[in-house]
Amino acid sequence: MAREELTRLTGNGNGTCGKDDCPNVYRTARGSFVIQGDLSQAFTTPEGEGLVEIPESVLREAVRVLGW
């Protein structure tokens, strides 16, 4: 899946971290979410899964955009 196929819910790309490298939440055409953030080593995930860590403010912004 290409980034262009996702709806970006957070960040405007004008922050201090650059256009594409900030923690962000994206929505897919299927209604699922793709999360971009720092890799976390909190625990070992099953094969094919991973952990990312994003700030609470990013999740709050995504919820606000979705109107939840």
Side-chain angles (χ1 to χ4, degrees):
M1 172 179 321
R3 184 183 299 224
E4 295 77 27
E5 298 175 65
L6 304 172
T7 301
R8 188 174 182 165
L9 301 177
T10 58
N12 60 13
N14 296 324
T16 58
C17 56
K19 182 176 180 185
D20 295 323
D21 62 347
C22 298
N24 281 296
V25 177
Y26 300 86
R27 192 166 194 175
T28 70
R30 296 186 308 261
S32 61
F33 297 92
V34 174
I35 309 297
Q36 176 185 355
D38 295 326
L39 290 178
S40 174
Q41 302 298 323
F43 59 88
T44 302
T45 60
E47 187 174 332
E49 295 183 5
L51 300 173
V52 296
E53 185 173 339
I54 62 170
E56 179 181 332
S57 60
V58 173
L59 287 178
R60 287 183 180 275
E61 184 178 353
V63 168
R64 180 190 60 77
V65 168
L66 291 168
W68 290 355

